[in-house]
Amino acid sequence: MKRTELPFDPIGEAHRQWAAHGWEESADAMALVTSIMRVQQILMARAESVLKPFGLTFARYEVLMLLLFSRRGALPLGKVGERLQVGAASVTNAIDRLESAGLVLRRENPSDGRGVLSQITPAGRKLAKRVTDEMNADLFGSLELSQKETTLVFERLRDLRSRAGDFS
Amino acid sequence: MKRTELPFDPIGEAHRQWAAHGWEESADAMALVTSIMRVQQILMARAESVLKPFGLTFARYEVLMLLLFSRRGALPLGKVGERLQVGAASVTNAIDRLESAGLVLRRENPSDGRGVLSQITPAGRKLAKRVTDEMNADLFGSLELSQKETTLVFERLRDLRSRAGDFS
DNA sequence: TAAGATTGACTCTTCAATCTTC
DNA sequence: GAAGATTGAAGAGTCAATCTTA
C-alpha cells in the first residue's frame, strides 16, 4: 500500500472540483462521505497492525469482545451477526478461525436445535484482555482528538447510524 | 447481510462495557473508532447499491472521478494510487476492469518509459457524470445531517487524516 | 540500484444453494 | 414453509516476487 504524503488535502481538492462541475449542492456531503471512507481505511490499517501479531483481524476481535462482554460468555451465531451487522457467512468464518485458535468453541444451543452457541474459552478471555490493552495504548489512546471533539463527532455519527436504521 | 434493527445502540452498549471493565480512559475513543467503522460500512453499502447497476465499485468510481477531474483526463497509474491511497496492485486491477468496460484506456507515458497513463474515454466521462447525478441524489443528498454538522464533522476528520500523515 | 507496473497466491466478504430443525 | 447455519464459487484487496526501464 502506497503511503506517500501529499502536499495538499486530496478531499479538499475533490470538493473544489465537485463545486466547479455544478454539483455545489452535494459537495459538502461528498467530502464528508469520502472523509469517512478514508479515516476508516487509516484506522483499520492501524487496528490490523496491532492485531496481526495475535493472529486476529478486526472482525474476529469484535466477535471476541462481544463474547467477552456477554453475560454467559456465549451467544448464538445469529445474535453475533445481528449485533455486529455482518452476514451469517462472515460469522461462520470468523468463528471457524477463532475456534481453530482455541479462543472460542461451538456448543449446541439447548433452546433451539437449529442454532449453535459460540462460547469464549479461558484462553479467549485472556487474549481478549491482553489485546485490548494494546488496542487502548496504540489505537484508541492515540486518536489526537480532544475529549470534547471525540464526543461531538461520536454523537453526530450516532445520529447518522440511527437514521440509517442501525438501531432505534 | 443481516440488517435487523436493534432496540438499542450496540456501540453505546460497548462503551458501557468498556468502562465497566476498567478501560474508562479509552472508552470514548473506542466508541468513536467503532462508530467510524460502522458508518463507513453503512455508507459503502449504499454507495455500492447505487453503483452496481452501472457495473462499478466504489474504488473504480473514485478512479473514474479522479480522471474526470484531471487536467488532461489522464494520469500515470502511480499518481492514481498516491491520490487515492491504495496500492499499485489495486490500481492495476481497477484500471483493468474500467478498461474492459471501455471507460478508460491505457497509453504509453511519453515522459517515462516505465510508466503507463490511464486516460478516461468519452464513454467514461459520460458515465461518470450520469452516475454522479445518482450518487448526489441517493447518497450525498440524503445524509440527514445539517450543513453545519456536516462541515463540523468533516473538519474534525480532516484533522485526524492530517495528523495520521495523509497530507500535510 | 531503484521505480513503475503486473502477476499469482492468499485472505476476507458476499451471494446463492443446501441441509437441518422449527 | 421459514429460520439458523454451512458450503462453494466469485469478487476485491494485499503481499511478495518479477519484469522492464530510468
Side-chain angles (χ1 to χ4, degrees), chain A residues 4-156:
Chain A
T4 313
E5 179 168 322
L6 292 167
F8 58 92
D9 176 11
I11 299 181
E13 174 64 18
H15 183 276
R16 204 169 316 120
Q17 295 279 12
W18 218 259
H21 279 73
W23 296 312
E24 187 114 51
E25 293 267 312
S26 39
D28 287 356
M30 180 283 299
L32 176 57
V33 169
T34 308
S35 290
I36 291 169
M37 302 290 192
R38 203 71 77 229
V39 169
Q40 188 269 351
Q41 186 179 334
I42 292 166
L43 295 175
M44 183 63 84
R46 279 201 214 168
E48 305 262 57
S49 95
V50 171
L51 295 169
K52 190 164 189 175
F54 299 100
L56 292 175
T57 62
F58 190 75
R60 304 210 278 265
Y61 174 66
E62 281 195 297
V63 172
L64 206 55
M65 294 310 286
L66 187 58
L67 292 178
L68 180 69
F69 290 154
S70 70
R71 216 168 297 280
R72 292 180 185 71
L75 286 173
L77 298 204
K79 279 283 174 199
V80 173
E82 188 179 297
R83 282 292 290 269
L84 302 180
Q85 293 290 304
V86 297
S90 297
V91 176
T92 294
N93 182 282
I95 298 289
D96 280 350
R97 308 310 181 106
L98 291 170
E99 194 170 26
S100 299
L103 304 173
V104 311
L105 49 83
R106 280 181 166 88
R107 284 174 34 206
E108 279 187 0
N109 188 342
S111 54
D112 187 342
R114 297 168 300 180
V116 175
L117 285 182
S118 50
Q119 161 113 44
I120 190 168
T121 64
R125 286 184 191 275
K126 194 171 168 188
L127 187 69
K129 289 172 186 166
R130 181 148 160 253
V131 170
T132 298
D133 286 338
E134 291 270 319
M135 291 287 275
N136 285 336
D138 296 356
L139 179 63
F140 304 135
S142 63
L143 262 204
E144 301 278 5
L145 230 49
S146 74
Q147 187 80 4
K148 198 174 159 189
E149 290 175 319
T150 298
T151 302
L152 195 149
V153 174
F154 168 73
E155 284 171 352
R156 296 290 74 73

Side-chain angles (χ1 to χ4, degrees), chain B residues 16 19 32-33 37 39 43 46 52 68 70 85 88 94-95 97 115 119 126 129 141-143 149 157 165:
Chain B
R16 202 168 320 119
L32 176 57
V33 169
M37 302 291 192
V39 170
L43 295 175
R46 279 201 215 169
K52 190 163 190 176
L68 180 69
S70 69
Q85 294 289 305
I95 297 289
R97 308 311 179 103
Q119 161 114 44
K126 194 172 166 187
K129 289 172 186 166
S142 62
L143 263 203
E149 291 174 320
L157 294 181

Side-chain angles (χ1 to χ4, degrees), chain B residues 110-128:
Chain B
S111 53
D112 187 341
R114 297 168 300 181
V116 175
L117 285 182
S118 51
Q119 161 114 44
I120 191 168
T121 64
R125 286 184 191 275
K126 194 172 166 187
L127 187 69

Side-chain angles (χ1 to χ4, degrees), chain B residues 31-161:
Chain B
L32 176 57
V33 169
T34 308
S35 290
I36 291 169
M37 302 291 192
R38 204 71 78 229
V39 170
Q40 188 269 350
Q41 187 178 334
I42 292 166
L43 295 175
M44 184 63 84
R46 279 201 215 169
E48 305 261 58
S49 93
V50 171
L51 294 169
K52 190 163 190 176
F54 298 99
L56 292 175
T57 62
F58 190 75
R60 305 211 278 267
Y61 174 66
E62 281 195 297
V63 172
L64 207 55
M65 294 310 287
L66 186 59
L67 293 178
L68 180 69
F69 290 155
S70 69
R71 218 168 294 284
R72 292 179 183 71
L75 286 173
L77 297 205
K79 278 283 174 200
V80 173
E82 189 179 298
R83 282 290 291 270
L84 302 179
Q85 294 289 305
V86 297
S90 297
V91 175
T92 294
N93 183 282
I95 297 289
D96 280 350
R97 308 311 179 103
L98 291 171
E99 195 170 26
S100 300
L103 304 173
V104 310
L105 48 84
R106 281 182 167 89
R107 285 172 36 205
E108 279 187 1
N109 188 343
S111 53
D112 187 341
R114 297 168 300 181
V116 175
L117 285 182
S118 51
Q119 161 114 44
I120 191 168
T121 64
R125 286 184 191 275
K126 194 172 166 187
L127 187 69
K129 289 172 186 166
R130 179 144 163 256
V131 170
T132 298
D133 286 338
E134 291 270 318
M135 291 287 275
N136 285 335
D138 296 356
L139 181 63
F140 304 136
S142 62
L143 263 203
E144 302 277 4
L145 230 50
S146 73
Q147 186 79 7
K148 197 174 159 188
E149 291 174 320
T150 299
T151 303
L152 195 149
V153 174
F154 168 73
E155 284 170 353
R156 296 292 75 72
L157 294 181
R158 187 186 53 201
D159 294 345
L160 264 182
R161 288 187 295 120

